[in-house]
Amino acid sequence: MKQPTICPKFEKAISLLSQRWSALVIYQLLSGSQRFSEIQSAIGISGKVLSDRLKDLEHQGVVKRDVIPETPVIIEYSLTEKGRSLEPVLREIESWSQLWVKPEGDLS
Amino acid sequence: MKQPTICPKFEKAISLLSQRWSALVIYQLLSGSQRFSEIQSAIGISGKVLSDRLKDLEHQGVVKRDVIPETPVIIEYSLTEKGRSLEPVLREIESWSQLWVKPEGDLS
DNA sequence: ATAAGTTAGTTACTTTATGTAAGTAAGTAT
DNA sequence: ATACTTACTTACATAAAGTAACTAACTTAT
């Protein structure tokens, strides 16, 4: 039974950010536009899931996909204004993590 | 294949917050300690998953479980200091959501 | 001109996570 | 005694994520 007393905008924001990998993809793109394989190797995500996430995020207006007609075609992903506006959120998480997270227990 | 160039503490924070429902549970507890069924009906989560999440969060030191030996025993969940320290993160998400999220199925 | 490599994905299949519904134990209210 | 509530658990179904192999278009090396 769903009778959420929580603000639907907030809930939607949470569901966007709690989608696995989404926050990490956005965080990665904060350092500038990047290509598919760069993002992939930077955060260790599979091609399939990265492909899904980028489509989602593009659809939600957070990420922009540009086809650059260079010698071999280059596809670049970058943040839109909406995406960049998430920077304070990610920075808060970053500083929280530095204060409160103990690195043990990450068996990768 | 994982070769994350991303800070492991940050990654761990992200994986905690991207666990489905976790952020919502923490957010809900920001307004004070609550019982199982209160959280359940406030955010519309199933008993099973709430039970799992509370155990996870307790294990990570974010949530505290107190058994109060009142007339019928009352079990109260609340945030630890670590949990409360996530408030700025949730507040950032909240204010971002007010500025950028359109409530219904938004196809921008 | 082959052959091998890169990029940006997709497809098929497996594993894990989540959802749903029903059940349980302890206690209360009628 | 019967029905109801709380805080769960169990069993089962479905959805999401992981893995690996594959493709199409192009590039470089032989």
Side-chain angles (χ1 to χ4, degrees):
Chain A
M1 294 356 179
K2 292 207 175 190
Q3 63 252 67
T5 56
I6 283 181
C7 169
K9 288 186 181 181
F10 178 70
E11 260 205 292
K12 210 171 169 226
I14 287 289
S15 88
L16 156 49
L17 289 168
S18 342
Q19 188 78 300
R20 193 125 79 189
W21 298 108
S22 289
L24 238 35
V25 169
I26 295 165
Y27 179 80
Q28 184 62 25
L29 288 174
L30 282 177
S31 52
S33 66
Q34 281 162 67
R35 303 175 67 176
F36 193 93
S37 55
E38 289 180 87
I39 303 171
Q40 197 174 210
S41 60
I43 66 179
I45 187 180
S46 76
K48 181 199 133 183
V49 180
L50 180 54
S51 179
D52 286 355
R53 278 309 153 268
L54 288 169
K55 268 176 217 156
D56 278 4
L57 292 171
E58 200 188 342
H59 208 244
Q60 304 211 260
V62 169
V63 160
K64 194 160 48 81
R65 180 185 193 266
D66 292 300
V67 179
I68 298 170
E70 294 293 308
T71 346
V73 80
I74 285 177
I75 292 165
E76 279 208 336
Y77 292 94
S78 56
L79 296 176
T80 61
E81 203 199 336
K82 185 178 178 183
R84 280 192 305 278
S85 70
L86 278 165
E87 179 159 9
V89 172
L90 278 310
R91 295 300 172 210
E92 275 294 345
I93 296 173
E94 199 174 36
S95 66
W96 181 83
S97 73
Q98 298 312 305
L99 280 170
W100 291 95
V101 178
K102 300 176 217 109
E104 68 196 56
D106 64 343
L107 37 146
S108 308
Chain B
M1 292 60 184
K2 294 206 172 189
Q3 64 252 70
T5 55
I6 283 182
C7 168
K9 287 185 183 184
F10 178 70
E11 259 205 295
K12 211 175 169 218
I14 287 289
S15 88
L16 157 49
L17 290 168
S18 337
Q19 188 79 301
R20 193 125 80 186
W21 300 107
S22 288
L24 237 36
V25 168
I26 294 165
Y27 179 79
Q28 184 62 25
L29 289 174
L30 283 177
S31 51
S33 65
Q34 280 162 68
R35 303 175 67 177
F36 192 92
S37 56
E38 288 181 88
I39 303 171
Q40 197 174 210
S41 61
I43 66 180
I45 188 180
S46 76
K48 182 198 133 183
V49 181
L50 180 54
S51 179
D52 286 354
R53 277 312 151 268
L54 288 170
K55 268 176 216 157
D56 278 5
L57 291 171
E58 202 189 338
H59 206 245
Q60 304 211 260
V62 168
V63 160
K64 193 160 48 83
R65 180 184 193 266
D66 291 299
V67 179
I68 299 170
E70 294 293 308
T71 344
V73 79
I74 286 177
I75 293 164
E76 280 208 334
Y77 293 93
S78 55
L79 296 175
T80 60
E81 203 198 335
K82 184 177 178 184
R84 280 192 305 278
S85 70
L86 278 164
E87 180 160 7
V89 172
L90 278 309
R91 295 301 171 209
E92 275 295 345
I93 297 173
E94 198 173 37
S95 66
W96 180 84
S97 74
Q98 298 311 305
L99 280 170
W100 291 96
V101 177
K102 299 176 216 111
E104 283 308 309
D106 68 331
L107 277 273
S108 321

